[in-house]
Amino acid sequence: MSFKIVEQAPARLNRSELAVPGSQPQLFEKAAKSSADVIFLDLEDAVAPDDKPQARKNVIAALRDIDWGTKTMSVRINGLDTHFMYRDVVDVMEQGGERLDLIMIPKVGTAADVYAVDMLVTQCEAATARKKKIGFEMIIETALGMQNVHEIAAASKRNESLHFGVADYAASTKARTTNIGGANPNYAVLTDKDDAGKRDVHWGDMWHYAVARMVVAARANGLRPIDGPFGDFSDADGYRAGGNRAGVLGCEGKWAIHPSQVALANELFTPSDVEVKKAHRILEAMAQAQKEGKGAVSLDGRLIDLASIRQAEVLVAKAKQIAAAS
Ligand code: GLV
Ligand code: MG
């Protein structure tokens, strides 16, 4: 291990993160009853400019009046390039009460963007003598944000998670997409001809680099990496495929832009019983190996060593966290 200890963000379940437009208060009660781990009430892109002031009022009332249970509550403020953002922070922080846990900052481009929001939030916390410290979720969804993702991840003690905002990221990088978060058949590898002259097309994951880069920045700073939206909510298999790819790379949750996606995300990011049992067996086998003075042994015909302990511990800790929350 490095001499530098990476401090971990508060341990929150973040398997599913449900987006709820602030301009649609009729959706709030249903969202509160959902099984989403995190809900973000949106003041940004799901709200038309003329509706922003009313959406802000709706969100403040919802934070005060609705029973959100044990969910983590977040509000997505508008971008720092708009004139809505300062009032989003000030009004929500001053009038929304103590229920809010996180502020989601969209289109973060530089560490200074995080610093600016931190300054405002810190003043609001002090002025209102707030007991609970607000954390930050940051959406990496521009070329600038992806370029500076490492500095952004380290920019504030409030930082808790990085989110891959694939829709805006595609717009910013001018990527050719077919639907939000989906694959593109043109991003493919053509195999050589086989004996019969036939060639196969293997679709690739055009988001691989972006998600992998964000995961590294998040983990190197003790933050949760979270995969963003998948637009076609009638395509559960497409959602699962994208979520699984992100999970394999290290993400610990995914957005739900429709209530039907909450259960899918919870399932994708909950370790299965088989995985948990295997992790326990690895820990037992390694405990025995260490008693015998061995650093590596074989289990089911495969090598396991001290790194296997760390992987198994991560999985067991996640399973415990989920069990404690349910
Ligand atoms: C989310 O905000 C996105 O742009 O994908
Ligand atoms: Mg966006």
Side-chain angles (χ1 to χ4, degrees), residues 33-54:
K33 291 195 177 73
S34 76
S35 50
D37 291 333
V38 183
I39 289 184
F40 77 80
L41 301 172
D42 192 12
L43 297 176
E44 199 221 12
D45 280 357
V47 179
D50 288 349
D51 298 339
K52 301 253 187 216
Q54 184 57 46

Side-chain angles (χ1 to χ4, degrees), residues 44-45 76 106-107 139 141 165-169 229 255:
E44 199 221 12
D45 280 357
R76 178 162 76 167
K107 300 182 183 68
I139 317 181
E141 54 182 340
V166 64
D168 273 303
Y169 185 74
W255 285 19

